[in-house]
Amino acid sequence: MFAMFKIIISLSALFAIINGALISVADFGSNPSGLKMSIYVPSKISENPAVIVALHGCGGTGQQYYQMTKYPSLADTNGFLVIYPSAPHDSNCWDVASTRSLSRDGGGDSNGLANMIKYTIATYKADPKKVFVTGTSSGGMMTNVMCAVYPDMVAAGSVYSGVPAGCLAGSPGSSPTSANQDCANGKIVKTQAQWVAQVKAMYPGYSGTYPKMQIWHGTADSFVNYNQNFGEQIKEWSGLLGVSFVKNNTNTPQSGYTQMTYGDGTKLVAYSAAGVGHTVPVHETVDLKWFGLT
């Protein structure tokens, strides 16, 4: 009896160590492009928890993005899970250019990320209707891609300093050194109908709704052209979501930021950050409100 009691105590201690920590997951299913998965499990998990996928920028890792963002402490308060993946190729940039990644279950990075989500839902009994994706720079670009390629899996996205889904299509790579610079330089301009058609071709036959979207970009971004890419993202998602511009809210959520509202503000909002370069600081509490987690 005493030995059994010690085993129970040991298991409880192990669970306490695992919870409230970033855990590496070696096998989360098919991983065609060799991504790495880590997941933050809060100290107290909600029943059927929500899932946030947080994507680092070029040159980064999931571990670094975990240290940079406040999602873990907010997860401890709100009980959701945070997946922090890593892209170990092409200067640690996400593949947002290849046909593999821009196709449903095509064998690219988006495919591996989708399998991380499926693993998390199955392992932690997470709510499949409460899966959210966010990311910075290359991670913002992949956020757009995930929302375009897996619209039935993602409920909402929050993009920081990204480009439209499909903007880099056909480029030889996704890093600053290997990608065609036309997209980052703002030379890829399309009509709304063209963007919508390109996204719908990523998941042929899909007739459901697309994730609601929140877009952030700094006016002084000299790395990913603000003037075109901010507007092209809005063009893409306003078309997919069927909403039009309604109004600006100045100094929202802070001084120097302008919130642009589309429709009734429940499907698409965009934030223009005056004087902010690459990248816009992550606004975690705004993200959680957008995701419906606070």
Side-chain angles (χ1 to χ4, degrees):
M1 178 69 73
F2 181 69
M4 179 64 71
F5 179 74
K6 287 202 298 182
I7 291 172
I8 293 172
I9 291 295
S10 297
L11 289 174
S12 298
L14 177 61
F15 185 79
I17 291 171
I18 292 175
N19 281 18
L22 189 67
I23 305 167
S24 294
V25 179
D27 184 7
F28 53 84
S30 177
N31 184 18
S33 60
L35 304 181
K36 296 180 180 179
M37 177 183 179
S38 295
I39 184 168
Y40 182 77
V41 182
S43 52
K44 185 176 181 181
I45 309 174
S46 296
E47 184 177 359
N48 303 125
V51 179
I52 294 178
V53 182
L55 301 166
H56 64 76
C58 285
T61 64
Q63 176 71 36
Q64 289 174 347
Y65 208 51
Y66 160 73
Q67 295 170 343
M68 288 169 54
T69 59
K70 299 175 183 176
Y71 298 120
S73 60
L74 292 167
D76 288 335
T77 302
N78 296 282
F80 57 83
L81 301 158
V82 190
I83 300 173
Y84 283 100
S86 295
H89 46 66
D90 202 5
S91 300
N92 289 27
C93 295
W94 298 101
D95 174 11
V96 295
S98 74
T99 302
R100 295 187 303 277
S101 204
L102 295 175
S103 302
R104 177 79 170 199
D105 299 333
D109 285 359
S110 62
N111 199 165
L113 292 171
N115 288 336
M116 291 183 194
I117 293 170
K118 292 175 184 177
Y119 166 88
T120 302
I121 291 170
T123 302
Y124 296 94
K125 297 181 180 179
D127 189 341
K129 295 182 179 179
K130 293 183 178 179
V131 175
F132 311 100
V133 183
T134 185
T136 295
S137 189
S138 178
M141 299 174 193
M142 179 52 83
T143 298
N144 276 326
V145 169
M146 288 300 295
C147 290
V149 179
Y150 293 92
D152 53 337
M153 187 177 292
V154 180
S158 185
V159 177
Y160 289 88
S161 310
V163 301
C167 186
L168 277 160
S171 174
S174 56
S175 78
T177 56
S178 66
N180 184 304
Q181 296 298 301
D182 285 351
C183 176
N185 291 338
K187 294 181 180 179
I188 305 298
V189 178
K190 300 184 180 184
T191 66
Q192 185 178 78
Q194 287 173 327
W195 282 123
V196 169
Q198 184 169 9
V199 168
K200 290 192 173 183
M202 297 176 190
Y203 186 8
Y206 179 70
S207 59
T209 58
Y210 280 82
K212 66 179 192 174
M213 187 62 67
Q214 183 171 256
I215 300 167
W216 306 77
H217 214 124
T219 64
D221 189 347
S222 59
F223 187 71
V224 176
N225 182 277
Y226 163 86
N227 291 323
Q228 294 299 342
N229 284 306
F230 184 54
E232 294 302 297
Q233 287 179 89
I234 292 171
K235 196 187 295 182
E236 181 174 79
W237 288 102
S238 61
L240 287 164
L241 296 168
V243 292
S244 300
F245 174 77
V246 174
K247 63 178 179 178
N248 285 335
N249 297 308
T250 58
N251 297 317
T252 304
Q254 68 184 68
S255 178
Y257 284 60
T258 299
Q259 181 197 59
M260 302 174 181
T261 303
Y262 291 77
D264 62 3
T266 62
K267 293 182 179 180
L268 176 63
V269 294
Y271 293 93
S272 176
V276 177
H278 191 74
T279 61
V280 176
V282 178
H283 286 63
E284 294 93 343
T285 56
V286 179
D287 289 341
L288 292 198
K289 185 176 180 181
W290 181 245
F291 298 156
L293 299 182
T294 56

